[in-house]
């Protein structure tokens, strides 16, 4: 059985802490306090990404009619999971979650044990060809029909640009016309913010690479963007009436709303459609 380490933080558990979840350890909470001391707006950025997930999946299921979802680097189950949002609008929607964090796999499999339209695969999301060929993926996803592949808040966990491009190419070659790819990652507004964030993250023991918005645009160059294009995720079809997130723990509450004053880092992303 994989060992769940409690002496080093993981991005999945830190993200869960930001969302008001319960599946994290002291080391993850302490790491998020370090992040917040450098970038107070980091909490808002994480929470904005989860709100972006809801709006994106709603758009894909309700407006684009997508009934198949592949969620790469899915993270810990929390509120407004992909299958829960998609099935509000497409009751027969199927979802394949992919992650290699042991705690994500344990909690995800427990949550989805009784849902035959969802599954969790243990895999490195960079091994895209193996994921697409996995029997569980093949059971739930028909690649002759449109599918949405989500790379939400994972770009910063892939430090090599060419690996990330290869992941995109592999997916794009495999999916049918009318399919979608969704991408977001943490960005710095300039090179100084990027380098400070990267140095801080390495100090915490995380595999991490912030990029600038221009670097993200270059990664996605040549792909068809759904309006409003490549933007800070809080601005992607904003909806003040969407379901709210859970409250955060008391130590993080002073940082809520910090993005209104500090915007050195942000989640940046887009929805792309295969013609």
């Amino acid at each position: 059985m994989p060992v769940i380490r409690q002496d080093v933080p993981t991005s999945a558990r830190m993200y869960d802490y930001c969302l008001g979840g319960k599946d994290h350890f002291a080391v993850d909470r302490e790491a998020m306090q370090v992040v917040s001391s450098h970038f107070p707006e980091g909490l808002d950025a994480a929470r904005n990404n989860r709100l972006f997930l809801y709006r994106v999946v709603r758009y894909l299921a309700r407006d684009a009619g997508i009934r198949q979802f592949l969620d790469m680097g899915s993270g810990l189950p929390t509120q407004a999971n992909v299958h829960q949002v998609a099935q509000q609008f497409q009751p027969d929607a199927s979802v394949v979650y992919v992650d290699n964090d042991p705690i994500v796999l344990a909690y995800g499999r427990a949550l989805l044990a009784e849902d035959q339209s969802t599954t969790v695969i243990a895999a490195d999301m960079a091994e895209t060809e193996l994921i697409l060929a996995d029997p569980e993926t093949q059971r739930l996803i028909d690649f002759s029909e449109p599918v949405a592949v989500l790379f939400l808040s994972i770009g910063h966990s892939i430090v090599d640009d060419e690996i990330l491009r290869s992941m995109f190419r592999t997916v794009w070659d495999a999916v049918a016309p009318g399919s979608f790819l969704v991408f977001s990652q943490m960005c710095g507004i300039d090179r100084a913010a990027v380098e400070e964030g990267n140095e801080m993250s390495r100090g915490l023991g995380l595999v991490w690479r912030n990029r600038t918005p221009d670097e993200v645009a270059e990664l996605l160059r040549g792909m068809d963007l759904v309006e409003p294009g490549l933007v800070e995720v809080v601005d992607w079809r904003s909806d003040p009436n969407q379901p709210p997130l859970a409250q955060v723990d008391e130590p993080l509450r002073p940082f809520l709303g910090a993005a209104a004053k500090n915007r050195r880092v942000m989640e940046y992303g887009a929805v792309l459609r295969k013609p």
Side-chain angles (χ1 to χ4, degrees), residues 89-232:
F89 307 101
Q90 298 286 350
D92 61 343
S94 56
V95 180
V96 176
Y97 293 101
V98 180
D99 211 292
N100 64 351
D101 186 317
I103 198 169
V104 171
L105 302 174
Y107 281 81
R109 285 171 174 161
L111 174 69
L112 303 173
E114 303 302 320
D115 188 341
Q116 293 303 304
S117 64
T118 61
T119 191
V120 182
I121 295 174
D124 182 338
M125 61 187 166
E127 297 179 339
T128 318
E129 291 183 355
L130 295 178
I131 293 166
L132 297 178
D134 188 281
E136 282 293 280
T137 305
Q138 293 290 318
R139 177 177 71 86
L140 288 177
I141 294 181
D142 177 0
F143 285 99
S144 69
E145 297 291 332
V147 58
V149 185
L150 312 180
F151 293 96
L152 285 167
S153 202
I154 61 88
H156 42 251
S157 296
I158 307 294
V159 299
D160 188 300
D161 285 352
E162 190 47 45
I163 290 176
L164 204 47
R165 288 192 184 96
S166 176
M167 293 163 62
F168 295 159
R169 286 195 300 267
T170 300
V171 165
W172 227 226
D173 289 345
V175 299
S179 294
F180 292 84
L181 185 152
V182 185
F183 177 79
S184 66
Q185 83 145 80
M186 192 70 77
C187 283
I189 62 169
D190 54 28
R191 179 55 53 189
V194 165
E195 294 305 330
E196 182 182 341
N198 290 344
E199 182 178 358
M200 176 198 64
S201 300
R202 287 192 294 269
L204 292 171
L206 299 171
V207 176
W208 194 275
R209 181 186 169 191
N210 286 350
R211 292 176 171 87
T212 65
D214 285 347
E215 287 173 324
V216 173
E218 180 60 25
L219 286 170
L220 303 178
R221 183 165 54 87
M223 303 173 80
D224 290 351
L225 297 172
V226 174
E227 290 294 333
L230 183 57
V231 294
E232 187 174 357

